[in-house]
Every structure is written in C-alpha cells, then in structure tokens.
Amino acid sequence: MKHIQSNIKHLRSLKKFSQERFAEELKWTRSMVGSYEEGRSEPPIDRLIELSSYFDIPIDILVKNDLRGAKDTSFIEVGNKRVLFPITVNEANEDLIEIIPAKASAGYLQGYADPEYIEQLQKIKLPFLPTGTHRAFPISGDSMLPVKDGSFIVAKFVDNVNDVKNGRTYVVLTKSDGLVYKRVYNKIEEKNSLELHSDNKMYQPFDVKIEDVIELWEFTCCINTQEYDADELKLSSIMNMFQELKIELESIKK
C-alpha cells in the first residue's frame, strides 16, 4: 500500500482539516492519523473501509493510485461511489491539457480512467480556455468538415449527460465505438439516447444509448494541423459549405 500514506494526508488537506479534526470525523485518534500519514504504520482493512466510506472513494483507488495531483473535481460520481477522474496539474496548480495522440486514440477506451495512462500523455497549457477540465482529441476522416482530418478538438469535460446542448458538437466516448466527434441532440426523454449527427451530410445520424456513453466532452476550440487550400478559402466554397450544412447565414451575423 505504497500510496496510502500520502493519500490520507492529501485527502485530509482537500477537506482543510487538521489531524485532530480529521480524527474526530473518522472517530480515530490523532496519533493514529499521524502514524498513517508518516508511514509508521498502515491502516488495517477496517480503517480502509471507514476511509473509503467517508470519502466515497473505492478502496482500490485509495491504495493503488497516487492522489496528490487530484482535486475534489478529479472525481466523478458512478453509482454511489466517486471514481478517480485523472487530470494533471502543473506546479502552479493549473490544469494541463492532455493530448490524446491519433495512434493511441483506440486505446483511450481502455485507458481513460487509468491515471498511469493519462500521466504518460503529452500535455500543453492553453491559458485562454474557460474554467474546466479539458483534453485534446484527434479527428480522423471527413465526417465533420470543415474540421480536417488530423486536426485536434480541445473539449471540456461534461459532468452530466443531461446537460447536453442540442446542436452543439461533442467528443463522445462510447463502449461500442470508442471516440467519436459529432453534433449531438438530447433524446433522453424520448428514446433514452443521444442522437449523433455528422456535419458532412453523406453520413447518416445514429443513436447512442445513454448506458453506452462513458464520457462526454463539449467543443471548446479546434487546432488545425493542416493549412487550408486556396480553393477552400474562396467565398463561393464557404457559401456552398454553409448551404450544405443547412446553416442560416443570418444567425451567423448575430
């Protein structure tokens, strides 16, 4: 249990409790808390159960993961337990953006909840982003034109699937399809699903059942890794693109 010493101290600090106050909360003794935090002894299973129940964090996460980089916002509710949602901060306690490389995007379905997988990803800082946890996801194919193949979508984590804004674009992680980037419509009340649309009308929309959705990330910005061709920047081409996407130009002016 190599991480339990630092984890107890870190979780106590998140609550801003002294050792005395923390001991009172858990009905432990102050010396017991000090002994665990200083590594002079390890908590037995009954103490681990009490710790797990108090923080609503599974025992295996308390024991196996170094939580010192985690904040209260690093955990998401799954059933009646909080599960570690791995994010990374720098020395100034600023959130860093993990970049999911194209070659590793297929493995994200297996590694999204693994702190070691997230830790080894390259990271960047974009100071202009709004508050929240962001990641950069690779885009492949032409289903979301004019977003080019090879671009990256920087997106903000959505805690609750019910917060989907109809017609906005999201990166969706599903059990069956892995990562997809689509325009999303909330059909939870009617069909208990999300309706996913491609901006390229050559692709048909499809439904994803809510129980199949693992993560949802709302578009923040796009990082294009390729230069646009001159033809793509002609006004006529842009007008045709908008017409194909059935976007009213009047609404853009607003």
Side-chain angles (χ1 to χ4, degrees):
M1 296 192 293
K2 63 179 181 178
H3 295 303
I4 195 65
Q5 170 187 345
S6 58
N7 286 346
I8 291 176
K9 185 174 183 178
H10 178 66
L11 290 171
R12 175 174 64 80
S13 69
L14 288 180
K15 292 288 189 181
K16 297 181 170 59
F17 287 164
S18 65
Q19 287 187 343
E20 289 83 359
R21 171 70 190 283
F22 191 52
E24 290 174 5
E25 289 285 319
L26 289 170
K27 297 181 173 56
W28 294 357
T29 64
R30 216 276 307 142
S31 61
M32 192 183 297
V33 174
S35 178
Y36 296 155
E37 290 188 356
E38 293 162 17
R40 288 183 281 112
S41 63
E42 290 185 344
I45 187 62
D46 57 332
R47 297 284 182 260
L48 289 175
I49 292 172
E50 291 167 354
L51 199 63
S52 171
S53 298
Y54 182 79
F55 286 104
D56 288 330
I57 298 174
I59 291 176
D60 63 330
I61 288 179
L62 289 171
V63 173
K64 294 179 181 178
N65 300 282
D66 185 349
L67 303 182
R68 283 176 293 183
K71 302 179 290 186
D72 275 342
T73 54
S74 305
F75 300 91
I76 56 175
E77 299 289 336
V78 177
N80 62 352
K81 285 289 182 185
R82 294 199 302 167
V83 175
L84 180 65
F85 180 76
I87 60 173
T88 309
V89 295
N90 61 13
E91 292 180 356
N93 205 35
E94 299 168 311
D95 290 347
L96 297 176
I97 301 168
E98 296 99 359
I99 303 172
I100 313 301
K103 64 180 181 180
S105 60
Y108 186 74
L109 183 57
Q110 284 74 46
Y112 70 94
D114 182 356
E116 291 184 5
Y117 170 84
I118 300 301
E119 178 62 29
Q120 57 85 32
L121 295 173
Q122 290 188 338
K123 301 165 186 68
I124 58 173
K125 177 186 173 185
L126 296 178
F128 56 81
L129 292 180
T131 302
T133 299
H134 291 78
R135 281 186 186 151
F137 298 91
I139 301 302
S140 61
D142 62 353
S143 68
M144 290 301 286
L145 292 174
V147 177
K148 283 176 168 274
D149 180 76
S151 300
F152 282 83
I153 294 297
V154 178
K156 178 181 177 182
F157 181 70
V158 178
D159 293 292
N160 191 331
V161 70
N162 292 291
D163 293 336
V164 165
K165 303 180 183 77
N166 282 328
R168 297 291 299 271
T169 59
Y170 295 82
V171 174
V172 187
L173 178 67
T174 69
K175 296 175 184 175
S176 54
D177 297 314
L179 288 171
V180 294
Y181 173 54
K182 299 294 178 185
R183 198 168 296 279
V184 178
Y185 295 86
N186 188 332
K187 302 293 182 181
I188 296 175
E189 289 190 5
E190 304 100 296
K191 300 185 290 184
N192 193 39
S193 65
L194 299 179
E195 193 173 271
L196 275 53
H197 289 245
S198 299
D199 283 349
N200 185 338
K201 298 308 174 184
M202 291 179 60
Y203 297 89
Q204 294 298 313
F206 60 95
D207 290 340
V208 174
K209 290 295 183 183
I210 293 303
E211 57 266 25
D212 196 32
V213 176
I214 300 173
E215 287 183 355
L216 200 62
W217 299 78
E218 184 178 4
F219 172 92
T220 298
C221 68
C222 177
I223 301 174
N224 186 17
T225 58
Q226 301 178 49
E227 185 178 7
Y228 281 97
D229 296 333
D231 288 343
E232 293 177 295
L233 296 176
K234 288 180 180 177
L235 181 60
S236 59
S237 298
I238 296 172
M239 292 286 286
N240 288 335
M241 178 187 70
F242 283 144
Q243 289 170 0
E244 289 173 5
L245 298 180
K246 298 180 180 179
I247 296 175
E248 296 182 8
L249 296 182
E250 277 301 316
S251 65
I252 295 175
K253 293 178 183 178
K254 297 175 184 178

